Amino acid sequence: MGIVAGLDSAPDFTRIVVCDTDTGTVLRQGYAPHPVDGDRPADVDPQAWLLSLGEAAGGGLLEGVQAIGVSAQQNALVPLDAQGGTVRPAMVGGDKRAQVAAADLIDALGGREAWAQAVGCVPQAAQPVTKLRWLAKNEPDAALRTAMLMQAHDWLVWQLLGRPVRRTTDRGGASGTGYWSAATGSYRSDLVELALGHQAMLPEVIGPADAAGTTPEGLLISAGTGETMSAAFGLGIGLGDAVVSLGASGSVMAVHPEALVDSTGMITSLADATGMHLPVVTTLNAVRTLRGTAELLGLPDLESLSELAMKSTPGAHGLVLLPYLEGERTPNLPHTAGSIAGLRRESMKGEHLARAAFEGMLCGLADALDVLRGRGVEVRRIFLLGAAAELPAVQAAAPMLFGAQVVVPQPADYAAIGAARQAAWALGVSQGTLDPRNPPVWQGASGQVLEPGDELAVGQAVRQQFVSVREQTHPGAFRP
């Protein structure tokens, strides 16, 4: 078939991979940081994404490419006027400015359950619907001029196609907006009006294998999607697979055949890049728990913390750390703090606290896994992502605490690879060589495979110790 490219416009950079359409083998790649001032500003001129794209694609990188797929950071709201110009810089990232707006929106619709029923998620500060509310309250002139709404990957696809009249998005990107329901497959334009104060034009949601269009040079552009969905597609996960991401905060997502409506709002019901669903449960505290513990113990880095933790044993001599340092979303304890239980003279050693930090972080993520399992999501294999996944203390504890096979994939640009795979799919469908219901079969992620084995019973005992302390400290807070 030839070669295709996948473009990932992440919060800090653009990365491009060029892949063989049949096998997915990465043939060449490019990279460029976004030209922005400061450390991840909350407002970014979208032109910065185009500039880094151009730099990353330099040196003939895209020569011979037949199709391009676009992955981009989620939750970036690009408000446009009636002529397609930006009303203001794009609002990106978590954007703590919008926390009050999120609470306003929740109340305006009648509570968390009303939102969960409407669009499968409860407004959070990061989501476009919440940013619209903030815009209406704080920049009313800009809100009034906003006639069209796009996200980062929508906007980039539109620019690559030469800004045609038709504007498109995909199910994955739309499902994160807070005004499109994965369960019904339709927009809730009334929620746009609730947030912004008036209606706005929204991109057409096209299918996973559909093309958004063709450039004047004849280059096919696929639908594009959000980074989370693209990374899942690049990893090659399917039914029975879950992905646990270890960032400062943590997230657990899994492939499921249907949208999950969760009245508590613990599950965010996203769509994936293949026509399936991608329910996500988030914890606020993952690697930040490890960094805080390392600082407390006077250790220079997480590798040192891991080395110290390995001198302890499962259960950390009875020490249990509830890692709710920033409050918590799972369970819903926004105003709580972390705590340490089980202190005895013999447990008051650095290695036991280090081990308790790793176990507390992983048990918190196991709680998030239980939310999905409790709703009928099958989890047989878990992909563990993030730099902390390489730490020996994480790899020693994760399989027994999660109760499943754990795969630590080799580092790769999975979001860009997923975008390239989507491009190959759309290209194959356009040429009549691929079925729109079945994506191209590429070699999935390879990596280290860890089994719980004989340690499963030990892991269950450590989990039970954690659960007992959590219930004593916050009775009834967690209801998976």
Side-chain angles (χ1 to χ4, degrees):
M1 285 170 62
I3 57 174
V4 291
L7 183 162
D8 177 34
S9 183
D12 300 317
F13 58 81
T14 296
R15 195 178 296 279
I16 302 174
V17 297
V18 176
C19 299
D20 179 274
T21 51
D22 295 326
T23 64
T25 302
V26 176
L27 305 173
R28 49 187 189 258
Q29 47 195 316
Y31 167 89
H34 297 319
V36 295
D37 296 327
D39 184 28
R40 286 203 183 180
D43 295 325
V44 175
D45 183 346
Q47 293 296 327
W49 307 333
L50 282 182
L51 290 169
S52 65
L53 191 166
E55 187 180 341
L61 184 77
L62 299 180
E63 191 174 328
V65 164
Q66 296 167 279
I68 294 179
V70 177
S71 155
Q73 59 179 306
Q74 284 155 244
N75 299 320
L77 176 70
V78 187
L80 304 173
D81 61 25
Q83 287 72 46
T86 49
V87 168
R88 69 178 312 284
M91 299 176 70
V92 299
D95 209 335
K96 291 186 176 180
R97 293 176 298 184
Q99 285 175 337
V100 172
D104 284 349
L105 279 178
I106 292 169
D107 290 344
L109 196 64
R112 297 170 66 85
E113 186 170 357
W115 277 97
Q117 292 289 342
V119 286
C121 60
V122 177
Q124 299 147 26
Q127 285 181 301
V129 71
T130 309
K131 289 168 178 169
L132 288 177
R133 180 71 158 202
W134 182 91
L135 195 62
K137 296 287 185 183
N138 294 275
E139 298 179 6
D141 290 345
L144 203 59
R145 290 190 294 120
T146 298
M148 293 181 270
L149 303 176
M150 294 185 121
Q151 294 184 86
H153 83 266
D154 310 337
W155 188 83
L156 283 165
V157 165
W158 188 51
Q159 297 295 322
L160 289 172
L161 290 172
R163 296 163 59 104
V165 173
R166 183 191 189 214
R167 287 171 290 272
T168 62
T169 190
D170 85 307
R171 297 168 64 255
S175 66
T177 59
Y179 42 80
W180 186 87
S181 166
T184 64
S186 57
Y187 281 117
R188 286 288 303 265
S189 54
D190 59 314
L191 299 182
V192 173
E193 187 167 357
L194 179 70
L196 185 61
H198 61 86
Q199 293 288 350
M201 291 178 63
L202 302 169
E204 175 190 347
V205 181
I206 61 176
D210 292 344
T214 306
T215 68
E217 299 77 29
L219 197 63
L220 183 141
I221 309 293
S222 63
T225 195
E227 261 190 323
T228 296
M229 300 80 187
S230 196
F233 197 38
L235 280 166
I237 68 170
L239 291 172
D241 291 332
V243 177
V244 173
S245 296
L246 301 177
S249 55
S251 68
V252 176
M253 64 181 178
V255 179
H256 198 58
E258 59 189 30
L260 296 178
V261 176
D262 173 51
S263 60
T264 68
M266 280 197 290
I267 297 175
T268 298
S269 191
L270 300 177
D272 79 348
T274 71
M276 301 281 276
H277 294 269
L278 206 61
V280 179
V281 181
T282 303
T283 69
L284 293 182
N285 301 278
V287 176
R288 63 166 43 99
T289 304
L290 304 183
R291 294 203 183 283
T293 307
E295 289 170 13
L296 180 65
L297 292 171
L299 298 173
D301 50 40
L302 297 187
E303 288 74 19
S304 303
L305 185 71
S306 173
E307 188 178 337
L308 185 61
M310 294 298 282
K311 295 177 181 176
S312 182
T313 54
H317 249 62
L319 214 55
V320 175
L321 188 151
L322 296 183
Y324 307 149
L325 308 185
E326 296 281 321
E328 191 46 85
R329 279 187 57 191
T330 309
N332 186 32
L333 296 165
H335 307 299
T336 195
S339 58
I340 299 173
L343 280 172
R344 296 181 185 277
R345 179 64 190 88
E346 60 270 21
S347 67
M348 296 179 74
K349 293 181 178 178
E351 60 260 36
H352 303 319
L353 178 57
R355 177 86 191 197
F358 282 97
E359 290 179 346
M361 174 188 77
L362 292 169
C363 282
L365 288 160
D367 280 350
L369 268 170
D370 282 351
V371 172
L372 295 179
R373 284 170 164 152
R375 296 298 306 277
V377 177
E378 187 179 7
V379 178
R380 294 190 305 270
R381 179 174 63 163
I382 294 168
F383 287 84
L384 198 57
L385 302 185
E390 303 285 340
L391 297 172
V394 169
Q395 296 189 6
M400 63 176 173
L401 293 177
F402 292 158
Q405 182 188 85
V406 170
V407 179
V408 182
Q410 291 179 346
D413 304 313
Y414 290 110
I417 291 168
R421 190 179 176 203
Q422 187 193 66
W425 194 7
L427 180 64
V429 169
S430 75
Q431 295 174 338
T433 57
L434 287 177
D435 188 322
R437 294 165 297 181
N438 299 307
V441 179
W442 283 10
Q443 184 177 348
S446 58
Q448 191 174 1
V449 178
L450 310 167
E451 301 282 357
D454 298 337
E455 301 247 278
L456 189 57
V458 177
Q460 288 175 332
V462 174
R463 277 288 320 273
Q464 189 52 54
Q465 183 175 269
F466 178 89
V467 168
S468 296
V469 171
R470 188 195 65 217
E471 281 302 304
Q472 288 166 13
T473 312
H474 305 287
F478 185 68
R479 289 285 178 266

